[in-house]
Amino acid sequence: MFKCLVIAGTPGVGKTSVGRIIAEKVGGLQVDLSELVVGEGLYEYFDEETGSYVIDEARVSRRVREICSGGKPVVVATHYPEVLDEIIIDRVVVLRLNPVVLWDRLRTRGWSDRKIAENVMAEMLSVVLMNAISKFGVGRVVEVDTTGRSPIEVAGEVLEKVSKGYTQEKFIDWLSIVDPSFLEELERVLSDEQET
């Protein structure tokens, strides 16, 4: 079916849960790339301003290549698929979530409004999807909407699309779906935070 599958998406869309279910179903290994980076020190430094680690892309790519060269299928959950070596990746599945739902979900994490708004804006603008397509090509990238669905349902759709070699013909455009006032609120939060 696959040797190395990437489950990508903005933080909060369900990558880890879906990746874990898929790994269990195929008897494989699930890797949360953020946990791997922190756990194995695959970063250059911690950025206090953004509250995140700046990864060492070469070391991360090399380490994932090592993990994927084992005998089991590997499912890698990440929000930055573009740092991975395209030669070892079979498919990239980008999970999407309605930005309004994502806002509410990320608020439960206790993040600052700015960090939430940055991630929701990234989802709204399809940043992870565009980065995946740019690195792996449109033919190797599949998109799945997780809005209102359980991780088990999403994992089933992912496995079906991957096993059938599904080719995505149309991608989600949140800008045409979400109320413009929501985008204005995101922009306000981001500009207010920059002024303080």
mmCIF file of all heavy atoms in Angstrom, residues 107-132:
data_model
loop_
_atom_site.group_PDB
_atom_site.id
_atom_site.type_symbol
_atom_site.label_atom_id
_atom_site.label_comp_id
_atom_site.label_asym_id
_atom_site.label_seq_id
_atom_site.Cartn_x
_atom_site.Cartn_y
_atom_site.Cartn_z
ATOM 1 N N ARG A 107 -8.518 27.431 20.567
ATOM 2 C CA ARG A 107 -8.733 28.207 21.809
ATOM 3 C C ARG A 107 -8.655 27.300 23.031
ATOM 4 O O ARG A 107 -8.232 27.740 24.096
ATOM 5 C CB ARG A 107 -10.065 28.929 21.765
ATOM 6 C CG ARG A 107 -10.024 30.127 20.826
ATOM 7 C CD ARG A 107 -11.109 31.089 21.178
ATOM 8 N NE ARG A 107 -10.763 31.771 22.409
ATOM 9 C CZ ARG A 107 -10.480 33.045 22.496
ATOM 10 N NH1 ARG A 107 -10.480 33.787 21.427
ATOM 11 N NH2 ARG A 107 -10.215 33.595 23.647
ATOM 12 N N THR A 108 -9.063 26.031 22.882
ATOM 13 C CA THR A 108 -9.028 25.103 24.023
ATOM 14 C C THR A 108 -7.596 24.739 24.408
ATOM 15 O O THR A 108 -7.379 24.169 25.474
ATOM 16 C CB THR A 108 -9.819 23.805 23.730
ATOM 17 O OG1 THR A 108 -9.163 23.079 22.687
ATOM 18 C CG2 THR A 108 -11.261 24.117 23.326
ATOM 19 N N ARG A 109 -6.629 25.066 23.565
ATOM 20 C CA ARG A 109 -5.222 24.760 23.857
ATOM 21 C C ARG A 109 -4.551 25.834 24.710
ATOM 22 O O ARG A 109 -3.395 25.676 25.094
ATOM 23 C CB ARG A 109 -4.439 24.588 22.549
ATOM 24 C CG ARG A 109 -4.879 23.385 21.747
ATOM 25 C CD ARG A 109 -4.014 23.162 20.540
ATOM 26 N NE ARG A 109 -4.402 21.932 19.853
ATOM 27 C CZ ARG A 109 -3.727 21.401 18.866
ATOM 28 N NH1 ARG A 109 -2.621 21.984 18.426
ATOM 29 N NH2 ARG A 109 -4.138 20.285 18.306
ATOM 30 N N GLY A 110 -5.256 26.925 24.949
ATOM 31 C CA GLY A 110 -4.691 27.991 25.770
ATOM 32 C C GLY A 110 -3.658 28.845 25.058
ATOM 33 O O GLY A 110 -2.858 29.526 25.694
ATOM 34 N N TRP A 111 -3.655 28.825 23.734
ATOM 35 C CA TRP A 111 -2.719 29.623 22.959
ATOM 36 C C TRP A 111 -3.145 31.087 22.964
ATOM 37 O O TRP A 111 -4.313 31.409 23.188
ATOM 38 C CB TRP A 111 -2.667 29.138 21.514
ATOM 39 C CG TRP A 111 -2.034 27.801 21.314
ATOM 40 C CD1 TRP A 111 -1.484 26.982 22.258
ATOM 41 C CD2 TRP A 111 -1.887 27.117 20.065
ATOM 42 N NE1 TRP A 111 -1.001 25.832 21.676
ATOM 43 C CE2 TRP A 111 -1.235 25.892 20.336
ATOM 44 C CE3 TRP A 111 -2.240 27.420 18.761
ATOM 45 C CZ2 TRP A 111 -0.921 24.978 19.330
ATOM 46 C CZ3 TRP A 111 -1.930 26.508 17.767
ATOM 47 C CH2 TRP A 111 -1.273 25.305 18.047
ATOM 48 N N SER A 112 -2.211 31.978 22.635
ATOM 49 C CA SER A 112 -2.531 33.400 22.500
ATOM 50 C C SER A 112 -3.422 33.589 21.271
ATOM 51 O O SER A 112 -3.397 32.780 20.338
ATOM 52 C CB SER A 112 -1.248 34.223 22.331
ATOM 53 O OG SER A 112 -0.663 33.980 21.053
ATOM 54 N N ASP A 113 -4.197 34.681 21.289
ATOM 55 C CA ASP A 113 -5.051 34.969 20.133
ATOM 56 C C ASP A 113 -4.222 35.115 18.860
ATOM 57 O O ASP A 113 -4.651 34.711 17.784
ATOM 58 C CB ASP A 113 -5.877 36.241 20.369
ATOM 59 C CG ASP A 113 -7.067 35.993 21.279
ATOM 60 O OD1 ASP A 113 -7.352 34.817 21.601
ATOM 61 O OD2 ASP A 113 -7.730 36.977 21.665
ATOM 62 N N ARG A 114 -3.033 35.685 18.990
ATOM 63 C CA ARG A 114 -2.186 35.870 17.808
ATOM 64 C C ARG A 114 -1.773 34.515 17.214
ATOM 65 O O ARG A 114 -1.858 34.311 16.005
ATOM 66 C CB ARG A 114 -0.947 36.690 18.134
ATOM 67 C CG ARG A 114 -0.011 36.816 16.929
ATOM 68 C CD ARG A 114 1.171 37.721 17.189
ATOM 69 N NE ARG A 114 1.976 37.844 16.002
ATOM 70 C CZ ARG A 114 1.690 38.606 14.954
ATOM 71 N NH1 ARG A 114 0.588 39.318 14.964
ATOM 72 N NH2 ARG A 114 2.476 38.673 13.904
ATOM 73 N N LYS A 115 -1.314 33.589 18.072
ATOM 74 C CA LYS A 115 -0.883 32.277 17.580
ATOM 75 C C LYS A 115 -2.063 31.536 16.954
ATOM 76 O O LYS A 115 -1.916 30.898 15.906
ATOM 77 C CB LYS A 115 -0.279 31.457 18.721
ATOM 78 C CG LYS A 115 0.323 30.146 18.266
ATOM 79 C CD LYS A 115 1.096 29.466 19.377
ATOM 80 C CE LYS A 115 1.713 28.165 18.875
ATOM 81 N NZ LYS A 115 2.546 27.527 19.891
ATOM 82 N N ILE A 116 -3.228 31.645 17.563
ATOM 83 C CA ILE A 116 -4.425 31.017 17.008
ATOM 84 C C ILE A 116 -4.739 31.631 15.644
ATOM 85 O O ILE A 116 -4.959 30.923 14.662
ATOM 86 C CB ILE A 116 -5.633 31.164 17.956
ATOM 87 C CG1 ILE A 116 -5.387 30.370 19.241
ATOM 88 C CG2 ILE A 116 -6.919 30.705 17.277
ATOM 89 C CD1 ILE A 116 -6.376 30.673 20.345
ATOM 90 N N ALA A 117 -4.744 32.963 15.585
ATOM 91 C CA ALA A 117 -5.078 33.659 14.338
ATOM 92 C C ALA A 117 -4.090 33.318 13.227
ATOM 93 O O ALA A 117 -4.482 33.137 12.068
ATOM 94 C CB ALA A 117 -5.127 35.165 14.568
ATOM 95 N N GLU A 118 -2.805 33.206 13.556
ATOM 96 C CA GLU A 118 -1.800 32.849 12.544
ATOM 97 C C GLU A 118 -2.075 31.464 11.963
ATOM 98 O O GLU A 118 -1.997 31.266 10.754
ATOM 99 C CB GLU A 118 -0.393 32.876 13.153
ATOM 100 C CG GLU A 118 0.123 34.275 13.403
ATOM 101 C CD GLU A 118 1.436 34.305 14.172
ATOM 102 O OE1 GLU A 118 1.850 33.256 14.734
ATOM 103 O OE2 GLU A 118 2.041 35.381 14.231
ATOM 104 N N ASN A 119 -2.405 30.512 12.832
ATOM 105 C CA ASN A 119 -2.668 29.152 12.365
ATOM 106 C C ASN A 119 -3.981 29.065 11.595
ATOM 107 O O ASN A 119 -4.063 28.370 10.584
ATOM 108 C CB ASN A 119 -2.650 28.179 13.550
ATOM 109 C CG ASN A 119 -1.240 27.840 13.960
ATOM 110 O OD1 ASN A 119 -0.571 27.060 13.305
ATOM 111 N ND2 ASN A 119 -0.770 28.456 15.025
ATOM 112 N N VAL A 120 -5.005 29.777 12.062
ATOM 113 C CA VAL A 120 -6.289 29.773 11.355
ATOM 114 C C VAL A 120 -6.141 30.453 9.993
ATOM 115 O O VAL A 120 -6.694 29.994 8.992
ATOM 116 C CB VAL A 120 -7.399 30.421 12.214
ATOM 117 C CG1 VAL A 120 -8.679 30.593 11.412
ATOM 118 C CG2 VAL A 120 -7.668 29.571 13.461
ATOM 119 N N MET A 121 -5.368 31.529 9.945
ATOM 120 C CA MET A 121 -5.119 32.205 8.670
ATOM 121 C C MET A 121 -4.371 31.277 7.716
ATOM 122 O O MET A 121 -4.671 31.235 6.512
ATOM 123 C CB MET A 121 -4.328 33.492 8.891
ATOM 124 C CG MET A 121 -4.163 34.324 7.628
ATOM 125 S SD MET A 121 -5.702 35.021 7.000
ATOM 126 C CE MET A 121 -5.819 36.500 7.987
ATOM 127 N N ALA A 122 -3.422 30.509 8.236
ATOM 128 C CA ALA A 122 -2.696 29.545 7.397
ATOM 129 C C ALA A 122 -3.658 28.516 6.809
ATOM 130 O O ALA A 122 -3.553 28.147 5.637
ATOM 131 C CB ALA A 122 -1.600 28.849 8.209
ATOM 132 N N GLU A 123 -4.632 28.061 7.619
ATOM 133 C CA GLU A 123 -5.638 27.121 7.113
ATOM 134 C C GLU A 123 -6.514 27.798 6.073
ATOM 135 O O GLU A 123 -6.811 27.228 5.026
ATOM 136 C CB GLU A 123 -6.485 26.578 8.269
ATOM 137 C CG GLU A 123 -7.608 25.663 7.841
ATOM 138 C CD GLU A 123 -7.155 24.377 7.168
ATOM 139 O OE1 GLU A 123 -5.979 23.968 7.309
ATOM 140 O OE2 GLU A 123 -7.982 23.758 6.484
ATOM 141 N N MET A 124 -6.924 29.015 6.352
ATOM 142 C CA MET A 124 -7.794 29.766 5.448
ATOM 143 C C MET A 124 -7.131 29.934 4.075
ATOM 144 O O MET A 124 -7.789 29.835 3.044
ATOM 145 C CB MET A 124 -8.063 31.139 6.078
ATOM 146 C CG MET A 124 -9.151 31.898 5.457
ATOM 147 S SD MET A 124 -10.669 31.536 6.322
ATOM 148 C CE MET A 124 -11.465 33.088 6.158
ATOM 149 N N LEU A 125 -5.813 30.166 4.089
ATOM 150 C CA LEU A 125 -5.072 30.424 2.854
ATOM 151 C C LEU A 125 -4.433 29.160 2.253
ATOM 152 O O LEU A 125 -3.670 29.257 1.289
ATOM 153 C CB LEU A 125 -3.989 31.476 3.105
ATOM 154 C CG LEU A 125 -4.501 32.846 3.573
ATOM 155 C CD1 LEU A 125 -3.338 33.767 3.914
ATOM 156 C CD2 LEU A 125 -5.409 33.476 2.531
ATOM 157 N N SER A 126 -4.725 28.000 2.829
ATOM 158 C CA SER A 126 -4.237 26.707 2.313
ATOM 159 C C SER A 126 -2.717 26.615 2.273
ATOM 160 O O SER A 126 -2.140 26.020 1.358
ATOM 161 C CB SER A 126 -4.806 26.444 0.913
ATOM 162 O OG SER A 126 -6.204 26.540 0.903
ATOM 163 N N VAL A 127 -2.041 27.165 3.279
ATOM 164 C CA VAL A 127 -0.581 27.211 3.280
ATOM 165 C C VAL A 127 0.042 25.817 3.260
ATOM 166 O O VAL A 127 0.930 25.537 2.449
ATOM 167 C CB VAL A 127 -0.058 28.034 4.482
ATOM 168 C CG1 VAL A 127 1.449 27.914 4.627
ATOM 169 C CG2 VAL A 127 -0.463 29.500 4.332
ATOM 170 N N VAL A 128 -0.411 24.924 4.146
ATOM 171 C CA VAL A 128 0.169 23.576 4.193
ATOM 172 C C VAL A 128 -0.077 22.845 2.863
ATOM 173 O O VAL A 128 0.820 22.196 2.327
ATOM 174 C CB VAL A 128 -0.379 22.766 5.392
ATOM 175 C CG1 VAL A 128 0.138 21.336 5.366
ATOM 176 C CG2 VAL A 128 -0.002 23.445 6.709
ATOM 177 N N LEU A 129 -1.278 22.976 2.329
ATOM 178 C CA LEU A 129 -1.612 22.347 1.049
ATOM 179 C C LEU A 129 -0.702 22.861 -0.066
ATOM 180 O O LEU A 129 -0.146 22.076 -0.831
ATOM 181 C CB LEU A 129 -3.078 22.610 0.694
ATOM 182 C CG LEU A 129 -3.531 22.098 -0.670
ATOM 183 C CD1 LEU A 129 -3.527 20.574 -0.701
ATOM 184 C CD2 LEU A 129 -4.913 22.636 -1.004
ATOM 185 N N MET A 130 -0.547 24.163 -0.164
ATOM 186 C CA MET A 130 0.278 24.741 -1.233
ATOM 187 C C MET A 130 1.742 24.329 -1.094
ATOM 188 O O MET A 130 2.409 24.038 -2.093
ATOM 189 C CB MET A 130 0.160 26.277 -1.235
ATOM 190 C CG MET A 130 -1.212 26.790 -1.633
ATOM 191 S SD MET A 130 -1.693 26.282 -3.304
ATOM 192 C CE MET A 130 -2.951 25.086 -2.966
ATOM 193 N N ASN A 131 2.243 24.277 0.153
ATOM 194 C CA ASN A 131 3.623 23.842 0.372
ATOM 195 C C ASN A 131 3.798 22.381 -0.050
ATOM 196 O O ASN A 131 4.817 22.020 -0.650
ATOM 197 C CB ASN A 131 4.027 24.015 1.835
ATOM 198 C CG ASN A 131 4.216 25.473 2.215
ATOM 199 O OD1 ASN A 131 4.319 26.348 1.360
ATOM 200 N ND2 ASN A 131 4.239 25.749 3.499
ATOM 201 N N ALA A 132 2.803 21.540 0.265
ATOM 202 C CA ALA A 132 2.875 20.126 -0.106
ATOM 203 C C ALA A 132 2.855 19.966 -1.624
ATOM 204 O O ALA A 132 3.650 19.202 -2.187
ATOM 205 C CB ALA A 132 1.725 19.351 0.532
#
